[in-house]
Amino acid sequence: MKTTQRPGWTPSRLREHREAHGLTLEAAGERLRQAAGRHGLSVPAANFQTLWGHEHGSIYPGPHYRRAYCLLYQATEPELGFRPPLPGEIRKAEIVISDLPPPADPAADNAAAQVIEEAFTKVSVGGIEPGDSPQALLRNRVVDAWRRRHGGGSPKPILVLVGGYAGSGKTEFARFLSDITGWAFLDKDSLTRCIVERLLVSLGGDPHDRHTDLYLKEVRPLEYRCLMETAWDNLHVGTSTILAAPFIAELKDEAWFARLENRCTARGIDVAAIWVRCDAESMREYIEFRGASRDVWKLDNWQQYIDGLAVDTSPSTTHLTIDNRLGAAISLADQTREALKRILS
């Protein structure tokens, strides 16, 4: 892929960062594989030929490579020349998580809480409103969960729905949220995919169908029911739970969400909805990258599919909207994990 096909791509920035770290191509490849391994990222080869191609503009790095580079060089995608910054992204980056001073041991918990608060503020569309806003309350619960894991915090459980379109980054963000809170993490596809595929076949359909009435009316309701019932099993024993699923129809349905809130309130459970917003090009890139059979129809009918999405808006029931355009929020989540490891090691 040529440089001219990626507006704002400046491949030479990668070489500048590598040389500033005093790394050869071979050494950078080794460090890149190590960074990827710590975070479960796939960077096939990562040899000097691949890195040379990235630095000279003949190969545009895929999503996992870009995340690994950001971790390796402790920089953002715009700083590494992968793309132009989003509006406000430079301003948000004024507080650089990797530059937080290593605190003394008694202050480690407070430093970790500060890192988490900054990360949530940076990735949120419009920032976090002060006071008792839904965004501030959810962020406080996340920080509270961190403190609870270290001897403090409230025992009241919370149910968090993390929704978004295919390829938006919702699963990665939900996993990040679970990492820092210790809350149970349930992904719809991991929990129900094999059952869904078998049920579609038994009904005479395509196991990878996610768009016809057969799936939408006969199978999808059961899929979400399984997900929600599993969440209730956790919540009934006091375990806070994060659910990762599109939740497109559910979060648009104010009556559905009101019933959920009422059910949670009756059982002493908090509930919050997070919407992960992403741009169409980045979603397509990730969908192509993961190569899942259930995405074949989307890719074959991309314009029809994308025309049916409202990528620039959030459902009315959303408490917090995460700005993951061009993968910005997931990149920051990776760096937040690294910062927490440094603070608490």
Side-chain angles (χ1 to χ4, degrees):
M1 189 174 294
K2 301 301 182 183
T3 306
T4 54
Q5 294 177 286
R6 293 282 178 169
W9 181 27
T10 311
S12 60
R13 294 270 189 87
L14 273 181
R15 176 178 54 78
E16 293 169 1
H17 277 76
R18 174 175 59 78
E19 292 177 347
H21 283 72
L23 298 174
T24 64
L25 283 168
E26 291 84 353
E30 177 62 26
R31 295 274 295 276
L32 199 68
R33 288 190 292 272
Q34 292 172 359
R38 289 196 302 271
H39 292 268
L41 305 175
S42 173
V43 290
N47 53 35
F48 74 91
Q49 294 100 331
T50 301
L51 270 62
W52 187 93
H54 293 164
E55 293 183 2
H56 288 78
S58 60
I59 306 171
Y60 184 73
H64 280 206
Y65 266 110
R66 298 199 301 275
R67 289 174 62 185
Y69 275 124
C70 290
L71 290 166
L72 173 59
Y73 297 131
Q74 298 181 22
T76 64
E77 287 204 3
E79 290 169 342
L80 293 177
F82 294 138
R83 58 174 173 82
L86 294 167
E89 192 170 13
I90 295 300
R91 178 186 58 78
K92 290 181 180 180
E94 288 174 357
I95 302 173
V96 180
I97 288 176
S98 59
D99 289 341
L100 286 175
D105 185 61
D109 191 46
N110 288 333
Q114 180 185 356
V115 166
I116 295 166
E117 289 177 356
E118 290 175 359
F120 256 72
T121 301
K122 291 177 183 179
V123 302
S124 304
V125 173
I128 303 291
E129 296 179 13
D132 294 331
S133 68
Q135 304 99 320
L137 292 174
L138 176 57
R139 183 185 62 183
N140 292 343
R141 283 306 310 269
V142 172
V143 174
D144 179 80
W146 174 268
R147 296 188 185 281
R148 186 180 177 193
R149 295 180 77 186
H150 292 78
S154 168
K156 189 177 182 181
I158 184 171
L159 171 64
V160 181
L161 312 183
V162 182
Y165 297 118
S168 62
K170 60 184 177 295
T171 301
E172 283 291 341
F173 190 81
R175 188 176 287 114
F176 161 69
L177 193 59
S178 178
D179 284 347
I180 60 176
T181 60
W183 298 339
F185 165 56
L186 298 176
D187 177 66
K188 176 182 72 65
D189 287 335
S190 298
L191 189 67
T192 65
R193 183 186 303 151
C194 60
I195 299 174
V196 166
E197 291 177 354
R198 183 64 179 173
L199 181 56
L200 283 166
V201 170
S202 71
L203 293 173
D206 179 347
H208 308 306
D209 168 26
R210 297 296 185 275
H211 64 283
T212 69
D213 282 349
L214 177 63
Y215 168 74
L216 296 173
K217 295 181 178 180
E218 300 295 331
V219 178
R220 187 184 185 279
L222 300 176
E223 186 179 21
Y224 275 78
R225 180 176 176 181
C226 288
L227 179 66
M228 297 304 299
E229 290 301 323
T230 306
W232 288 118
D233 287 341
N234 280 331
L235 294 163
H236 287 160
V237 295
T239 302
S240 294
T241 303
I242 303 165
L243 304 183
F247 286 116
I248 296 168
E250 289 74 15
L251 294 183
K252 289 180 178 178
D253 186 345
E254 294 187 8
W256 180 90
F257 196 78
R259 289 193 297 272
L260 177 65
E261 287 183 308
N262 291 337
R263 184 176 180 183
C264 287
T265 299
R267 290 163 173 77
I269 299 166
D270 287 336
V271 61
I274 296 175
W275 183 258
V276 181
R277 187 185 297 176
C278 195
D279 59 291
E281 184 177 352
S282 296
M283 288 191 292
R284 176 162 189 160
E285 180 187 32
Y286 186 76
I287 291 173
E288 290 175 337
F289 175 77
R290 71 186 181 188
S293 299
R294 65 186 183 279
D295 295 325
V296 170
W297 183 88
K298 297 183 186 74
L299 294 174
D300 288 346
N301 302 272
W302 183 254
Q303 195 57 51
Q304 177 184 347
Y305 169 69
I306 206 68
D307 285 346
L309 308 184
V311 297
D312 295 325
T313 60
S314 306
S316 58
T317 56
T318 298
H319 293 86
L320 181 72
T321 297
I322 298 302
D323 186 355
N324 195 39
R325 289 173 297 166
L326 306 179
I330 299 306
S331 178
L332 182 62
D334 288 337
Q335 295 181 53
T336 302
R337 288 187 182 101
E338 287 286 282
L340 293 174
K341 289 177 184 177
R342 289 195 301 274
I343 289 171
L344 299 167
S345 61

